[in-house]
Amino acid sequence: MSEKGVQPESKGLAIFLYTLAAVLDPSLPLWRFAIYLVFVTGFCVLFGVPLGRVARRSLFLLPFLGLIIIFGVLPSGDYARGMFLAAKGWLAALGLAALGLSTEFAQLLKGLHRLGLPRVLTMLLSFMYRYLDLLISEAKRMEIARNQRYFGGNYLSQFRILGNIIGNLFLRTYERGERVYQAMVLRGYTGQMQVEKVSYHLLDYLVVSGALLVLLATGVDFLCPFWL
Amino acid sequence: MPLLAVNQLKYRYPDGREALKGVSFQINAGEKVGLLGLNGAGKSTLLLSIAGVLKAEGEITLAGVENLKARSKLRKQRIGLVFQDPNDQLFMTTVYEDVAFGPENLGLSRPEVEKRVQVALAAVGAEGFEDRLTHHLSFGEKKRVALATVLAMQPDLLLLDEPSSNLDPKRRREFIEIINQAKQAMLIASHDLELIKATCSRVIILEAGKVVVDEPVAILENEALLRRHELY
């Protein structure tokens, strides 16, 4: 059970709607920018996530922004558009950071499954999360082993070694996958898994409707012509 | 009647290598048997065949089960295999989910699953680990939790592959205690002679896919025999 009894899927759905709104926003006037910030802030306050950490974590976007600036803005000189793209990207990053800091990944996966995401996908994601560290540490060990016996060489041989390491990692992963599958089958895995039933409370609905309102505020601009 | 009877078990890998060349032995209920042999003697293949992962030729009978199908639910429930590398065994994100995986697949009710998880974790001295992330456990903890994932299925026979490998002396001693306290019959494949002596009453030595010794564990005191089988 997550904090304040709000289910992870409610948080995930809310952030998804919010991100959708921010990313689809066609003009991003200041008042809507403010709405987005208020929503993220409210989300963080509600789930006890320190705003400073969210802001810091959202900086992972910087390298991508750099690319946007180099390829999208500098050639055309359209700085306003650059700012517009950067602001949208940053809002989305803030949302993801807030979600990541408020919800454990494992919980989020369960929630996604309850929302109807196919089990195969949530299993894949959970395996990725489970084995990523292992893969990285294996790659690091291989790198150390290489460095112990490698004293520089020509440019081509470096690629050859890298190719070997990647191939080796792939094989090891593949074989591990097989053993893991055996371990699963031996414990009765048939592809079906039970899903815990949960109940939703007022706060779940409030969080999601809040995000829905944000989406509507965005939609006013470009959906109205179709409706009216 | 023995719990497990293996008769003339043969297995050939797809590449043509003959790993088991007619292995026969029996294990009684509650009996702990050590399985020794050099690397490549067929120990792991034997464990995988008994568990039903590999489809070996020959006869395997389990007390009270007629026609033991390779991947039947009953076989999976009654025979538990613990892999050597706990990272292969622990594939769920949290300890609770991992230990509950088997019982859930058996279709048990939620309270029953929870009870099984608690009992299994207590049996390996890992009470209160439920919410921990599996990839954040230490190696020794992973080994213990890996055993718990199988104990939660309440098997009659446990197959352990190298249970003490890579454990520090203290963790290894703890693991020996855990094995000794478990009531299940076990077949323990290991190179760790001291572990076998401390836990088993009988020992089987495999050599090139055949059983060459099947004797009480006291035989491990016979240095000449160990040398003959290159175990010393």
Side-chain angles (χ1 to χ4, degrees):
Chain A
M1 190 62 75
S2 45
E3 317 93 75
K4 308 212 175 183
V6 173
Q7 297 299 339
E9 58 266 42
S10 310
K11 296 186 207 168
L13 192 60
I15 291 296
F16 174 72
L17 292 174
Y18 152 86
T19 311
L20 207 63
V23 171
L24 289 181
D25 199 309
S27 53
L28 200 64
L30 211 54
W31 66 274
R32 278 210 299 263
F33 189 72
I35 287 185
Y36 296 136
L37 281 185
V38 167
F39 178 80
V40 174
T41 313
F43 186 91
C44 293
V45 171
L46 186 60
F47 298 116
V49 183
L51 287 168
R53 284 186 67 195
V54 174
R56 239 172 299 143
R57 196 176 269 202
S58 72
L59 296 183
F60 77 84
L61 197 69
L62 281 178
F64 300 100
L65 282 184
L67 285 179
I68 293 178
I69 289 168
I70 292 169
F71 294 106
V73 179
L74 290 182
S76 63
D78 189 351
Y79 293 100
R81 188 164 173 74
M83 283 289 287
F84 169 68
L85 288 175
K88 279 166 88 156
W90 184 61
L91 285 171
L94 274 182
L96 282 180
L99 181 63
L101 287 168
S102 70
T103 320
E104 259 191 41
F105 190 68
Q107 293 297 323
L108 191 63
L109 284 180
K110 274 192 192 164
L112 287 176
H113 183 50
R114 284 195 291 264
L115 277 183
L117 197 70
R119 186 75 217 178
V120 178
L121 283 181
T122 52
M123 285 288 260
L124 266 178
L125 286 170
S126 94
F127 286 150
M128 214 164 73
Y129 178 66
R130 164 70 182 88
Y131 287 106
L132 198 62
D133 291 14
L134 219 62
L135 193 68
I136 292 171
S137 68
E138 220 158 66
K140 276 189 185 146
R141 281 200 301 274
M142 278 203 231
E143 195 192 1
I144 293 170
R146 179 199 67 177
N147 290 343
Q148 292 291 316
R149 290 176 289 155
Y150 182 70
F151 309 102
N154 65 31
Y155 196 61
L156 262 178
S157 82
Q158 284 187 24
F159 274 104
R160 198 170 51 81
I161 295 168
L162 190 66
N164 271 308
I165 288 184
I166 293 172
N168 223 313
L169 266 181
F170 174 76
L171 278 180
R172 286 189 196 187
T173 310
Y174 179 80
E175 283 177 355
R176 182 182 298 281
E178 213 153 70
R179 291 194 302 272
V180 169
Y181 178 67
Q182 288 172 355
M184 291 171 73
V185 167
L186 284 180
R187 282 196 271 147
Y189 180 68
T190 51
Q192 303 297 316
M193 276 176 82
Q194 290 181 0
V195 192
E196 197 183 345
K197 291 228 167 42
V198 297
S199 51
Y200 301 104
H201 302 288
L202 183 63
L203 212 49
D204 286 282
Y205 296 108
L206 281 181
V207 170
V208 176
S209 357
L212 215 52
L213 281 178
V214 172
L215 184 62
L216 284 178
T218 306
V220 173
D221 227 24
F222 65 109
L223 288 181
C224 279
F226 298 106
W227 291 342
L228 297 176
Chain B
M1 188 183 169
L3 174 70
L4 176 88
V6 173
N7 194 13
Q8 285 300 314
L9 207 62
K10 290 188 182 123
Y11 186 78
R12 189 188 282 276
Y13 274 103
D15 64 4
R17 194 163 50 89
E18 226 181 338
L20 301 177
K21 302 173 187 167
V23 171
S24 308
F25 64 91
Q26 300 185 336
I27 296 180
N28 293 318
E31 191 182 22
K32 295 188 171 62
V33 180
L35 182 61
L36 289 170
L38 302 180
N39 295 327
K43 299 189 299 295
S44 295
T45 310
L46 180 59
L47 296 189
L48 289 171
S49 306
I50 297 172
V53 172
L54 299 178
K55 289 191 178 106
E57 265 179 65
E59 226 182 309
I60 299 177
T61 48
L62 193 62
V65 186
E66 278 173 52
N67 183 18
L68 191 68
K69 286 217 187 74
R71 286 188 170 177
S72 68
K73 209 171 186 176
L74 195 62
R75 181 165 183 164
K76 288 170 199 160
Q77 190 266 310
R78 296 197 49 197
I79 304 179
L81 172 64
V82 184
F83 284 67
Q84 178 178 353
D85 183 348
N87 283 319
D88 294 337
Q89 189 91 31
L90 304 175
F91 44 77
M92 299 296 278
T93 1
T94 66
V95 169
Y96 177 88
E97 286 175 310
D98 219 306
V99 181
F101 185 88
E104 274 176 2
N105 284 327
L106 289 175
L108 300 174
S109 67
R110 187 146 293 274
E112 176 66 18
V113 170
E114 273 167 27
K115 205 175 112 206
R116 290 250 188 139
V117 172
Q118 270 169 15
V119 171
L121 285 178
V124 300
E127 297 100 332
F129 277 36
E130 285 89 343
D131 291 330
R132 292 183 60 184
L133 296 175
T134 40
H135 62 278
H136 286 172
L137 299 176
S138 74
F139 190 82
E141 289 167 345
K142 278 185 189 168
K143 275 272 198 193
R144 298 208 314 259
V145 173
L147 180 59
T149 63
V150 174
L151 285 178
M153 310 269 291
Q154 298 189 345
D156 304 314
L157 174 66
L158 273 173
L159 309 169
L160 306 186
D161 199 354
E162 294 288 356
S164 62
S165 67
N166 286 327
L167 289 180
D168 62 50
K170 182 162 186 284
R171 304 289 165 271
R172 178 172 160 276
R173 215 167 49 238
E174 286 169 2
F175 213 93
I176 288 176
E177 258 169 53
I178 292 169
I179 292 176
N180 279 333
Q181 271 162 16
K183 302 272 182 292
Q184 287 88 354
M186 292 193 196
L187 181 60
I188 305 174
S190 181
H191 296 299
D192 185 345
L193 296 182
E194 299 307 315
L195 169 109
I196 303 266
K197 281 185 204 167
T199 54
C200 298
S201 57
R202 219 174 88 211
V203 56
I204 291 173
I205 300 180
L206 269 191
E207 216 169 76
K210 281 185 187 144
V211 174
V212 288
V213 171
D214 185 348
E215 301 278 346
V217 77
I219 196 144
L220 293 182
E221 305 301 332
N222 182 345
E223 222 174 88
L225 175 125
L226 291 182
R227 275 184 207 283
R228 196 157 63 243
H229 296 293
E230 298 182 83
L231 293 170
Y232 190 75

